[in-house]
Amino acid sequence: MRMHARNKHIGLLMVMFVAVVIAFVVGFAARSNLQLMHTLGIQTPEGSEQSTSSTNAKTTYDALSARIGEVEDILATYSMDNIELQDATKLMLANLMESTQDPYATYFNSENYENYIKETADKPYSGIGVLFGDYDGRAYVVDVLDGSEAQARGVTQGDFVEAIDGDSSHKWSTIEVIGALAREDGANVIITWMRPISLDATRGTEFTTTLSCHNYTEQNVTYELSENVGYIRLRQITSNASDLVEQAVKDLTAQGAQAFVLDVRDNPGGYLTQALDTASLFIQSGVLVGIETKDGTTTRNASGETISAAPMVVLVNEYTCAATEVLAAAMKDNQRAAIVGQTTMGKGSVQVVRELTFGGAVRYTAGYYLTPLGHAINGVGVIPDIAVADDPQDPENDNQLSVAYDVARSLIGEQ
């Protein structure tokens, strides 16, 4: 009798143990099935991996927009003050772009975006006789036009814009500077400049100038024949740059040019398509550039329609920038030209501008240029085949150009 009771008790314990195990397994399976948990009315912990991975909805734990929306809702519900939408948008987006650590990331409000469009259009230059470029998002002097008031006041290549009309509250980009200088003919502007020890320096000697704004026009392509070498200077990669270079090559060839020097010193870049079209004037086939983006790397190839097989020299310096570096790299890696001068700036990133539905636009880095052989340009630059430094103590003697001519003539002899 006692044995029977004991066996019954042990059997009951075993049944209870099995039931607990089954309950644990079922519970574990149920907790891993969020749809079932929700059906049963059991809430998963906020912010857990399960709750964030089971849905595409953005939460305040993984999305800036959700966090801003939460604060906006609180203010709208409880605050005695109202949000000024335009001011809040400008401040928030400016800070958002700055937080990316991309020096070229910029938010343009509607007014600044209109100035951007004007600046990138091919129109007579309105300003102070200075060609600006961007270095790490800061406007600097690429070139000073001969005879301009800026030249007379001592503004030189490499000077950075620190303040305009006393406003030094932020770093001035090229777009903002162009917009600020788009004034009536004869209007004055006060600009504070910073002259660094080197292009990378963030500090230097400051000086202030008061300049008059005027409309300036400058030929983008100039050329001449020196004995049997055609010299072509290309100031910017504009929307018609390849056509201008093509015409220069044809004219110089008709005059007897047997080799060419393409001078792209101080060229701040411009249209990538025009840089590639210019390279295609001399490169019959092959890769011209690689473009690395989040989707992978793509390449652009030569068009196959060349206009000259004559020897080439491309003349570069530390202010040769962006799309112009792509042009130089294409000529170098395809062994189509000898590169003479100094290592280029190394601004090998691709900026994209996207319009916003509520007005304005944002600019951001969307990719990086690679040379035809796959080498990085950004932060590295294009290294010349023949390094020649400019002599600042003797500006009248263009040693770099002299060497370029010598190299071009030597290449004629090798044909």
Side-chain angles (χ1 to χ4, degrees):
M1 193 72 175
R2 288 181 180 178
M3 182 65 67
H4 177 73
R6 182 181 179 185
N7 290 340
K8 184 177 180 181
H9 182 65
I10 292 173
L12 181 60
L13 289 176
M14 291 183 65
V15 170
M16 291 176 64
F17 175 78
V18 172
V20 169
V21 171
I22 293 173
F24 175 81
V25 172
V26 172
F28 180 84
R31 286 180 61 83
S32 66
N33 188 326
L34 292 181
Q35 185 174 358
L36 176 60
M37 295 285 284
H38 293 161
T39 301
L40 297 175
I42 302 173
Q43 298 300 316
T44 56
E46 257 189 279
S48 67
E49 289 185 5
Q50 291 94 336
S51 62
T52 56
S53 63
S54 65
T55 176
N56 291 326
K58 294 183 178 180
T59 73
T60 55
Y61 291 88
D62 61 8
L64 178 62
S65 59
R67 295 182 180 186
I68 293 173
E70 180 177 323
V71 175
E72 187 177 19
D73 289 343
I74 291 173
L75 293 177
T77 305
Y78 303 108
S79 175
M80 297 295 290
D81 298 309
N82 296 321
I83 298 174
E84 210 301 309
L85 185 59
Q86 295 302 324
D87 289 343
T89 299
K90 182 178 180 179
L91 290 171
M92 181 190 68
L93 293 183
N95 289 330
L96 174 63
M97 301 305 283
E98 186 174 352
S99 72
T100 65
Q101 305 302 312
D102 174 3
Y104 300 98
T106 309
Y107 163 64
F108 301 125
N109 60 27
S110 297
E111 181 180 355
N112 288 343
Y113 185 48
E114 289 180 9
N115 290 331
Y116 173 83
I117 295 174
K118 292 178 182 177
E119 192 271 335
T120 54
D122 290 321
K123 296 180 179 180
Y125 179 78
S126 175
I128 57 173
V130 171
L131 178 63
F132 290 101
D134 260 338
Y135 185 78
D136 280 348
R138 301 162 60 212
Y140 75 98
V141 177
V142 174
D143 197 10
V144 182
L145 304 186
D146 291 336
S148 65
E149 188 178 1
Q151 184 184 55
R153 299 293 184 186
V155 179
T156 62
Q157 182 185 66
D159 290 344
F160 283 86
V161 175
E162 285 293 291
I164 295 180
D165 291 335
D167 183 2
S168 58
S169 61
H170 63 289
K171 65 179 182 181
W172 285 86
S173 68
T174 295
I175 303 304
E176 292 171 313
V177 170
I178 294 298
L181 299 181
R183 308 185 180 194
E184 293 183 0
D185 189 66
N188 288 337
V189 60
I190 301 173
I191 302 179
T192 299
W193 309 88
M194 188 272 287
R195 183 165 296 166
I197 299 174
S198 66
L199 192 61
D200 291 320
T202 57
R203 294 183 179 180
T205 304
E206 291 190 4
F207 64 101
T208 300
T209 59
T210 300
L211 302 170
S212 299
C213 295
H214 299 286
N215 289 329
Y216 290 90
T217 56
E218 185 77 14
Q219 284 185 288
N220 190 38
V221 170
T222 55
Y223 57 93
E224 64 181 11
L225 185 68
S226 177
E227 297 179 9
N228 55 351
V229 176
Y231 170 79
I232 304 171
R233 182 179 183 186
L234 176 60
R235 288 181 175 271
Q236 296 184 77
I237 310 293
T238 56
S239 62
N240 63 343
S242 63
D243 290 338
L244 295 175
V245 172
E246 180 177 2
Q247 187 59 52
V249 170
K250 290 181 177 178
D251 288 351
L252 290 168
T253 301
Q255 296 176 38
Q258 299 177 32
F260 296 95
V261 172
L262 179 60
D263 188 350
V264 290
R265 291 175 296 178
D266 308 327
N267 188 313
Y271 293 87
L272 174 64
T273 53
Q274 284 296 303
L276 301 180
D277 287 348
T278 301
S280 288
L281 296 175
F282 310 102
I283 301 171
Q284 186 170 22
S285 62
V287 175
L288 298 180
V289 68
I291 303 176
E292 180 185 7
T293 68
K294 282 191 172 182
D295 296 328
T297 300
T298 58
T299 58
R300 306 284 180 85
N301 297 328
S303 65
E305 299 178 3
T306 60
I307 61 169
S308 176
M312 293 283 301
V313 173
V314 177
L315 190 53
V316 299
N317 67 0
E318 61 180 328
Y319 294 102
T320 302
C321 181
T324 316
E325 295 179 89
V326 171
L327 168 59
M331 299 291 279
K332 178 181 180 178
D333 278 8
N334 283 283
Q335 299 182 349
R336 182 59 185 85
I339 311 299
V340 174
Q342 298 163 290
T343 300
T344 61
M345 183 177 289
K347 197 274 181 183
S349 56
V350 185
Q351 275 69 54
V352 170
V353 176
R354 287 186 180 271
E355 292 187 359
L356 301 171
T357 58
F358 51 86
V362 291
R363 180 178 63 170
Y364 57 93
T365 297
Y368 294 98
Y369 296 133
L370 303 175
T371 74
L373 294 180
H375 303 306
I377 294 177
N378 198 60
V380 179
V382 178
I383 301 172
D385 300 306
I386 302 173
V388 183
D390 197 11
D391 186 1
Q393 304 300 324
D394 188 12
E396 299 299 323
N397 182 22
D398 193 341
N399 187 45
Q400 292 176 333
L401 181 57
S402 297
V403 173
Y405 274 129
D406 290 342
V407 173
R409 293 188 178 102
S410 70
L411 293 174
I412 295 175
E414 293 177 2
Q415 284 186 310

